[in-house]
Amino acid sequence: MAATIIDGKAIAATIREELAADVSSFHASSGVTPHLAAVLVGDDPASAVYVRNKQRACEKTGIASTLHRLDADTSEEELLDLVGQLNNDRQIHGILCQLPLPGQISEQAVLDAVSPDKDVDCFHPENVGLIAQGRPRFLPCTPHGIQQLLVRTAVETSGAHVVVLGRSDIVGKPMGLLMVQKAEGANATVTLCHSRTRNLPEIAATADILVAAIGRARFVTAEMVKPGAVVIDVGINRVDGKLVGDVDYEPVAEIAGSITPVPGGVGPMTIAMLLQNTLTAARELHG
Ligand code: GUN
């Protein structure tokens, strides 16, 4: 039987509607419009598209956004200077530095420089530490978006075996941290696999929920999926001009219980969670 398609685009639209109502009532009570500052360095076309999508989503939700475009040869000092100005700007509630940054700039130095109160990507070590301890200020956008897909499609996570493929700081590691928490939509048994994992296909095939975030096109084949499993595809790879995920979609969809498409699965959810964090930041900064 073919898998149910998890429609991230539709679920993200619902969340944006909920957020638009929250943004509107926050504005009515405080007079404040949440405001996201996006920083884009260089001219990577994919990054430009992601940032544009984030700004459009802000607009639909009643959140203000400002784009700071910097040249590809911007120095680390110049970027740190801008981040410092945004940290001190009372009108700005969230700061997003689109990754990757050009090679001459240390991503770690820049992400560490973003004020933890405005770190809507949840990349600052203080915010990562708070997630680890189960008392988050912000939730990491992609992992939280995936968790919302599971909750909103009534997938039982408590006691489930979640296998995460990939150990990136943006997805894999925080995904594992989130799912292992003592919390609704979590309480899972988590296995985090990566390029050095032995028997990765066998481990993947024991997953009730399989999260593919390794950045390799069609890496997850049907043999790596347990019949009926929930398959979440975080990959965005361009192959012959076409966007494909980390999952070999058609054969896996024959086996899985449910599956996210690429595009239209996880991507729109990441953006919705960024908006939610921006509202959270505005609420915190304005009492
Ligand atoms: N580049 C790829 N994914 C992300 C993300 O979630 N946030 C930022 N800032 N950059 C990214």
Side-chain angles (χ1 to χ4, degrees):
M1 207 186 76
T4 304
I5 295 170
I6 300 173
D7 188 346
K9 201 172 158 187
I11 295 171
T14 303
I15 293 174
R16 278 200 308 271
E17 278 173 30
E18 294 167 8
L19 281 171
D22 291 346
V23 167
S24 171
S25 64
F26 171 67
H27 182 265
S29 62
S30 66
V32 173
T33 300
H35 194 151
L36 175 73
V39 180
L40 177 60
V41 187
D43 29 45
D44 176 53
S47 288
V49 171
Y50 297 146
V51 169
R52 195 182 320 133
N53 289 342
K54 289 171 184 178
Q55 286 201 281
R56 280 196 187 138
C58 281
E59 208 173 299
K60 284 184 201 163
T61 318
I63 294 175
S65 73
T66 305
L67 175 61
H68 297 264
R69 279 202 92 133
L70 303 180
D71 292 339
D73 62 0
T74 297
S75 69
E76 185 176 301
E77 198 186 348
E78 286 170 301
L79 181 52
L80 289 173
D81 204 50
L82 172 61
V83 169
Q85 286 172 35
L86 296 171
N87 283 341
N88 292 326
D89 186 339
R90 293 268 306 157
Q91 308 296 319
I92 296 295
H93 308 108
I95 301 170
L96 167 129
C97 295
Q98 186 65 29
L99 304 178
L101 294 170
Q104 74 276 13
I105 299 175
S106 157
E107 289 188 350
Q108 191 166 45
V110 172
L111 299 180
D112 285 2
V114 172
S115 167
D117 294 335
K118 299 189 177 186
D119 171 37
V120 286
D121 260 325
C122 203
F123 291 161
H124 192 283
E126 182 178 315
N127 289 327
V128 178
L130 289 171
I131 307 166
Q133 293 187 344
R135 48 187 190 128
R137 176 186 280 133
F138 300 114
L139 289 169
C141 300
T142 300
H144 188 209
I146 293 169
Q147 188 181 43
Q148 281 297 306
L149 285 179
L150 298 172
V151 168
R152 288 172 186 253
T153 56
V155 173
E156 178 61 89
T157 57
S158 181
H161 187 204
V162 173
V163 176
V164 180
L165 307 179
R167 57 177 157 183
S168 71
D169 290 334
I170 297 185
V171 184
K173 277 190 232 164
M175 185 77 223
L177 272 180
L178 208 59
M179 295 311 293
V180 86
Q181 293 302 319
K182 210 179 266 188
E184 198 209 341
N187 286 314
T189 302
V190 173
T191 304
L192 192 53
C193 296
H194 48 78
S195 54
R196 303 292 176 91
T197 298
R198 277 189 212 122
N199 309 328
L200 183 147
E202 288 81 357
I203 295 169
T206 68
D208 302 308
I209 300 167
L210 182 61
V211 179
I214 44 239
R216 287 173 62 179
R218 303 190 181 109
F219 177 85
V220 175
T221 57
E223 298 71 43
M224 293 161 66
V225 175
K226 181 164 80 174
V230 178
V231 178
I232 306 288
D233 191 348
V234 187
I236 304 178
N237 311 285
R238 198 169 280 278
V239 177
D240 301 330
K242 190 176 168 237
L243 281 188
V244 299
D246 289 353
V247 175
D248 193 11
Y249 186 84
E250 281 82 12
V252 169
E254 290 294 315
I255 304 240
S258 57
I259 186 166
T260 61
V262 176
V266 173
M269 295 297 291
T270 297
I271 298 180
M273 296 304 115
L274 173 73
L275 305 175
Q276 184 163 83
N277 283 344
T278 306
L279 173 59
T280 300
R283 279 185 174 140
E284 291 295 318
L285 290 164
H286 292 276

